[in-house]
Amino acid sequence: MPQPVELIIKNADQLLTLATATPDNPLGIITQGSVAIGRDQVVWVGAEANLAKEVLVTESTRVLDAQGKVVIPGLIDAHTHLIFAGSRADEFDLRNIGISYQEIMGRGGGILATVAATRKASKEELYRLGVRRLNRALRWGTTTLEVKSGYGLSLEHELKMLDVIKELSAHHPVDLIPTFLGAHAIPEEYKGQREKYIQLICQEMIPSIAERKLAIFCDVFCEKGAFTYDETEQILRTGIKYGLKAKVHADEFSNSGGAILAADLGAVSADHLLSAPAEALAAMRLRGVAAVLLPGTSFVLGLKRYGPARSILAQGLTLALATDFNPGSCFTQSLPLIMSIACTQMHMTVAEAVLACTSGSAKALALPDKYGKLAPGSPADLLILDITDYRFLAYQMGENPVETVIKEGRIVIENRHLV
Amino acid sequence: MPQPVELIIKNADQLLTLATATPDNPLGIITQGSVAIGRDQVVWVGAEANLAKEVLVTESTRVLDAQGKVVIPGLIDAHTHLIFAGSRADEFDLRNIGISYQEIMGRGGGILATVAATRKASKEELYRLGVRRLNRALRWGTTTLEVKSGYGLSLEHELKMLDVIKELSAHHPVDLIPTFLGAHAIPEEYKGQREKYIQLICQEMIPSIAERKLAIFCDVFCEKGAFTYDETEQILRTGIKYGLKAKVHADEFSNSGGAILAADLGAVSADHLLSAPAEALAAMRLRGVAAVLLPGTSFVLGLKRYGPARSILAQGLTLALATDFNPGSCFTQSLPLIMSIACTQMHMTVAEAVLACTSGSAKALALPDKYGKLAPGSPADLLILDITDYRFLAYQMGENPVETVIKEGRIVIENRHLV
């Protein structure tokens, strides 16, 4: 029976549902496809030819014509460090002429430089910076993103960051999913007393953040120079005890056991994974841990190595691609650019890259099954792209094909402009 | 004595003149800098404090405030294949899953696929596509670009392409510098008769194009699978005889002697150079041949090798960076993105990358000395960037900082929009 709808996008050259995959049509593409939206949800998806029969268009229904265009679900960025003050443009030059990221960290640069700037910044300043960055993300088609704390590294400043994330999520169209990353680095004032800092995380920060419901996830940077396997386990077990789901910055520069630990703990995702051994991927698969790859970071750091995308896909793990947006190792907010890097450097097809920025990243954020897809019941988060073939998303490297963005049924970018 | 001016951009946080380089200030940066424009030229550049004394502002002078912003010369893209029909999105996927560019060429894909589509296209169609692409280039800050023919490969269709380039340059704000690249590939109909095709190039195409003044440069794709050293020499010597300056696609996939030949012939530039031996670079330096590197192409082709930027800079050659914009091996028009790739993958500083997209590329196009700079007498081609430090151009990978574009004294993009 026809149902009345508020918004229709009709007649797309390609409508990527990502919901009805077959081997011949892995993206569930409907040609001359239409999608009907009621309130904040998709209520109908199908071929243009069936639209009139199955959907009741009223006088108040707004209709957007997507002829010559591609429609896809809104992109989901599963790993960002969106909130920070200051910049690290100086380090960009230093690193490019041969000084390593670890060496810069060792000199008190790197993360700790951003911690100093972020501690100095007021909530209002961080909020203002956040809005600018979310506007930019939205222009690139990102409608949901994960954001980590971790530039506060004290109870006061971690809470400040997480408060700002909460405020932004409440007031900006983009949905923010908060992750507590107190274990991002050992702050200056705990140098030589790492046990004390870990105590602070476990005994004060996690209980306080859990009580205020300021985070969904707890994450640890498990890496030589950051946190050990044992420290990571202690922190994540505490987080889990307090109801936070686990994520791990795992095996980025060296095999530190992070991916194996993610599997042991039943974490939602393990991220980076450049140095993860095959048995860790197998363990992740058994426990349903999603793999989040961040190829922009390999690229910016000038590494020749990238995450093992082909092994991950061959083994049937859930794969997400994310920006890792941060002021040190990857200052980009463009998931289309990340797709280009993933395709050319990790040998992914554009179809695989699109899945990894939508339904794959939805799983890496433990979102319900209908997220990152266009099916009845999906959130009405979708993009109209000014291209006739979805492959241009990654093929036309660096360009922004996003013309219109719909978030929860509301047009928030139209013809490239914020509305 | 003060002189009246029509347009002033004042008070930039950083004004990059690129004209008064010192070891401490290689970009000739003036802080709180201003630039005054009369007609289509820069007439004065200096510190804000001296503006009132040295420049006569009248009622009709338009003043743009660049506080909190960076001003640089318009970018110059020294190597593009801007004019073509069709796309090669299918090849993008094929290549990324492991089929090489040369293999795709061997199958009759690659360049010849674009030749077939471009031959079918009318002048009007190519013109329309050209305008779209030039608008995009302008939004990325490119105010002058070189364009090669080479998707016609018959007298009729090479002339068609060059006519379109001439028309576009006459009507679009961006200046196009035309290059004849009949020796891009051996067309289908000359398969097995390459001598005949080379004869056609030398005896019909070059004379005809020179007579109509449709090209400044003559270029040859000197590479295994394309044109040999001897063929390249024959074609370029013919071009030179007819008044065309020489350029060479040299030593991209293998050392074919292209760079040495460029030096022997006194070519204006040798481009690509991934496999150029040290002695070729030395010979280029002696003869003043500019090196044009195209790191976007290495990136898109998934090569781990890039052009030898550090050797080129160490030896004191002129270095230009360009997009190589084309539908096969690099579908981007963003010089800022090319700068990001150059910095992270070829170990260049942002300052070196900026020089290579301005004064360096001006030299690689044999433009007069004041091009690619901001000094009295320079063409009034300049950009206002919405960043406070020029390094964000490459550091903020993938983003577009271009806010306002001035071409020959006229504002053509304002607050990101074509005017």
Side-chain angles (χ1 to χ4, degrees):
Chain A
M1 198 177 75
Q3 42 186 323
V5 297
E6 286 143 23
L7 177 63
I8 287 173
I9 295 118
K10 69 167 192 177
N11 211 21
D13 279 25
Q14 298 180 335
L15 174 73
L16 278 60
T17 66
L18 312 186
T20 55
T22 64
D24 284 351
N25 188 2
L27 301 179
I29 295 178
I30 303 172
T31 53
Q32 306 315 313
S34 297
V35 52
I37 292 163
R39 292 173 177 264
D40 57 355
Q41 289 202 339
V42 172
V43 297
W44 182 91
V45 177
E48 180 65 17
N50 299 325
L51 179 67
K53 282 186 291 198
E54 298 179 17
V55 173
L56 186 62
V57 180
T58 69
E59 267 183 24
S60 65
T61 307
R62 177 145 184 215
V63 180
L64 300 180
D65 195 334
Q67 194 176 6
K69 297 184 179 160
V70 170
V71 171
I72 64 170
L75 304 179
I76 298 173
D77 193 344
H79 183 135
T80 87
H81 303 257
L82 188 93
I83 302 300
F84 58 86
S87 97
R88 307 223 301 269
D90 50 342
E91 289 178 19
F92 184 74
D93 265 347
L94 288 178
R95 214 171 42 232
N96 290 327
I97 58 171
I99 298 165
S100 77
Y101 183 55
Q102 288 92 328
E103 207 175 326
I104 291 169
M105 283 208 316
R107 291 184 190 187
I111 292 167
L112 292 182
T114 299
V115 170
T118 305
R119 285 181 175 179
K120 269 189 213 137
S122 66
K123 264 190 198 179
E124 292 66 31
E125 169 70 359
L126 293 177
Y127 185 88
R128 196 185 60 76
L129 288 166
V131 169
R132 272 190 77 152
R133 292 172 192 154
L134 289 172
N135 289 347
R136 202 176 275 144
L138 203 56
R139 286 205 189 87
W140 284 113
T142 298
T143 51
T144 297
L145 52 74
E146 187 254 22
V147 191
K148 300 177 195 296
S149 69
Y151 294 124
L153 306 191
S154 70
L155 180 60
E156 176 193 353
H157 293 291
E158 287 291 302
L159 288 175
K160 177 177 75 175
M161 286 190 72
L162 290 165
D163 278 341
V164 169
I165 293 166
K166 186 179 174 180
E167 285 295 305
L168 285 167
S169 197
H171 294 107
H172 196 279
V174 174
D175 282 325
L176 286 77
I177 296 175
T179 294
F180 168 60
L181 179 62
H184 198 193
I186 303 284
E188 207 58 42
E189 65 274 20
Y190 284 90
K191 220 172 164 179
Q193 316 175 63
R194 41 194 311 129
E195 313 72 29
K196 275 204 173 169
Y197 183 60
I198 290 157
Q199 231 173 44
L200 176 70
I201 290 176
C202 292
Q203 296 178 7
E204 298 189 39
M205 291 186 186
I206 289 175
S208 180
I209 286 158
E211 194 196 336
R212 298 168 200 224
K213 298 190 191 307
L214 285 174
I216 304 286
F217 294 102
C218 183
D219 192 351
V220 177
F221 188 10
C222 179
E223 187 69 53
K224 217 176 284 177
F227 293 84
T228 67
Y229 180 100
D230 289 340
E231 291 165 350
T232 304
E233 180 169 14
Q234 184 189 344
I235 294 163
L236 291 178
R237 284 201 189 280
T238 306
I240 290 166
K241 202 175 74 182
Y242 280 91
L244 302 177
K245 292 170 186 159
K247 284 182 168 280
V248 190
H249 277 67
D251 305 332
E252 180 177 3
F253 300 106
S254 58
N255 175 9
S256 312
I260 286 280
L261 179 60
D264 285 348
L265 295 174
V268 173
S269 75
D271 302 31
H272 284 295
L273 300 173
L274 272 69
S275 306
E279 60 269 27
L281 299 183
M284 284 170 59
R285 182 173 183 282
L286 277 176
R287 292 297 304 270
V289 181
V292 179
L293 296 186
L294 308 156
T297 309
S298 286
F299 177 77
V300 170
L301 295 181
L303 307 179
K304 299 294 175 192
R305 287 189 316 133
Y306 284 81
R310 293 259 49 104
S311 305
I312 287 166
L313 289 165
Q315 292 190 36
L317 274 81
T318 294
L319 174 60
L321 290 170
T323 59
D324 196 15
F325 175 57
N326 78 80
S329 57
C330 194
F331 203 169
T332 191
Q333 299 192 252
S334 165
L335 279 172
L337 179 58
I338 295 296
M339 290 188 208
S340 292
I341 300 176
C343 291
T344 58
Q345 309 303 306
M346 302 198 304
H347 309 295
M348 291 173 65
T349 64
V350 185
E352 290 166 342
V354 168
L355 286 167
C357 291
T358 50
S359 62
S361 41
K363 283 181 196 151
L365 293 174
L367 293 169
D369 189 48
K370 294 209 166 162
Y371 279 66
K373 298 175 183 174
L374 295 177
S378 291
D381 297 353
L382 56 154
L383 315 178
I384 305 176
L385 308 180
D386 186 20
I387 49 182
T388 54
D389 179 326
Y390 75 89
R391 291 174 300 189
F392 275 72
L393 247 179
Y395 165 55
Q396 196 164 22
M397 180 173 74
E399 302 296 343
N400 188 351
V402 175
E403 187 178 278
T404 296
V405 179
I406 291 145
K407 176 65 183 176
E408 290 167 8
R410 200 162 66 82
I411 298 170
V412 287
I413 300 270
E414 190 161 13
N415 295 321
R416 304 190 188 287
H417 305 301
L418 284 162
V419 295
Chain B
M1 196 177 75
Q3 43 187 320
V5 298
E6 285 142 24
L7 178 63
I8 286 173
I9 296 117
K10 68 167 194 176
N11 210 19
D13 280 25
Q14 298 180 335
L15 174 74
L16 278 61
T17 65
L18 312 187
T20 54
T22 63
D24 283 352
N25 188 2
L27 301 179
I29 294 178
I30 302 173
T31 53
Q32 306 317 313
S34 298
V35 52
I37 292 163
R39 293 173 177 261
D40 57 356
Q41 289 201 340
V42 171
V43 296
W44 181 91
V45 177
E48 180 64 16
N50 299 326
L51 179 66
K53 282 186 289 199
E54 298 178 17
V55 174
L56 186 62
V57 179
T58 69
E59 265 183 27
S60 66
T61 306
R62 179 147 183 212
V63 180
L64 300 181
D65 194 334
Q67 193 177 8
K69 297 184 181 160
V70 170
V71 171
I72 64 170
L75 304 179
I76 299 173
D77 192 346
H79 184 135
T80 87
H81 303 257
L82 187 94
I83 302 301
F84 58 86
S87 98
R88 306 223 301 268
D90 50 342
E91 288 178 20
F92 184 74
D93 265 347
L94 288 177
R95 213 170 43 232
N96 290 326
I97 58 171
I99 298 166
S100 77
Y101 182 55
Q102 288 92 329
E103 208 174 325
I104 291 168
M105 281 209 317
R107 291 182 189 188
I111 292 167
L112 293 182
T114 299
V115 170
T118 305
R119 284 180 175 178
K120 270 189 212 134
S122 67
K123 263 191 199 180
E124 292 65 33
E125 169 69 0
L126 293 177
Y127 185 88
R128 195 186 61 74
L129 288 166
V131 168
R132 272 192 76 152
R133 292 174 192 151
L134 289 172
N135 289 346
R136 201 176 276 142
L138 203 56
R139 286 205 188 86
W140 284 113
T142 297
T143 49
T144 298
L145 51 74
E146 187 254 21
V147 191
K148 300 176 195 296
S149 69
Y151 294 124
L153 307 190
S154 69
L155 180 60
E156 175 194 352
H157 293 291
E158 287 290 302
L159 287 176
K160 177 177 75 177
M161 286 190 72
L162 291 165
D163 278 340
V164 169
I165 293 167
K166 186 179 174 179
E167 286 294 305
L168 285 165
S169 196
H171 294 107
H172 196 279
V174 174
D175 283 325
L176 286 77
I177 296 175
T179 294
F180 168 60
L181 180 63
H184 198 193
I186 302 284
E188 207 58 42
E189 65 274 20
Y190 284 89
K191 219 173 164 178
Q193 316 174 65
R194 41 193 312 129
E195 312 74 26
K196 276 204 173 169
Y197 183 61
I198 289 157
Q199 233 172 43
L200 176 69
I201 290 177
C202 293
Q203 296 178 7
E204 298 190 39
M205 291 186 187
I206 289 176
S208 181
I209 285 158
E211 194 196 336
R212 297 168 201 224
K213 298 191 191 306
L214 285 174
I216 304 286
F217 294 101
C218 183
D219 192 352
V220 177
F221 188 11
C222 180
E223 186 68 53
K224 216 177 280 176
F227 293 84
T228 66
Y229 180 100
D230 290 341
E231 292 164 351
T232 304
E233 180 170 14
Q234 183 190 344
I235 294 163
L236 291 179
R237 285 202 188 278
T238 307
I240 290 167
K241 202 175 73 182
Y242 281 90
L244 301 177
K245 292 171 185 159
K247 283 180 168 281
V248 190
H249 277 68
D251 305 333
E252 179 176 5
F253 300 106
S254 57
N255 174 8
S256 311
I260 285 280
L261 179 59
D264 284 350
L265 295 175
V268 172
S269 76
D271 302 31
H272 284 296
L273 300 173
L274 272 69
S275 305
E279 60 269 28
L281 299 183
M284 284 170 58
R285 182 175 182 282
L286 276 177
R287 291 298 304 271
V289 181
V292 179
L293 296 186
L294 308 156
T297 309
S298 286
F299 177 78
V300 170
L301 296 180
L303 308 178
K304 299 294 175 193
R305 287 190 315 134
Y306 284 82
R310 292 259 49 104
S311 304
I312 287 165
L313 289 164
Q315 293 190 36
L317 276 81
T318 294
L319 174 61
L321 290 169
T323 58
D324 196 15
F325 174 58
N326 78 81
S329 58
C330 194
F331 204 169
T332 192
Q333 299 192 251
S334 165
L335 279 172
L337 180 57
I338 295 297
M339 290 188 209
S340 293
I341 299 175
C343 291
T344 58
Q345 310 302 307
M346 302 198 303
H347 309 296
M348 290 173 65
T349 64
V350 185
E352 290 166 341
V354 168
L355 286 168
C357 291
T358 49
S359 63
S361 40
K363 283 183 196 147
L365 293 174
L367 292 170
D369 190 49
K370 294 210 166 161
Y371 279 65
K373 298 174 182 174
L374 295 176
S378 291
D381 297 354
L382 56 153
L383 315 178
I384 304 176
L385 307 179
D386 186 19
I387 50 182
T388 53
D389 179 325
Y390 75 89
R391 291 174 300 188
F392 274 73
L393 247 179
Y395 165 56
Q396 195 164 24
M397 180 173 74
E399 302 296 343
N400 188 350
V402 175
E403 188 178 277
T404 295
V405 178
I406 291 146
K407 176 67 184 174
E408 290 167 7
R410 201 161 65 79
I411 297 169
V412 287
I413 300 269
E414 189 161 14
N415 294 321
R416 303 190 186 288
H417 305 301
L418 285 162
V419 296

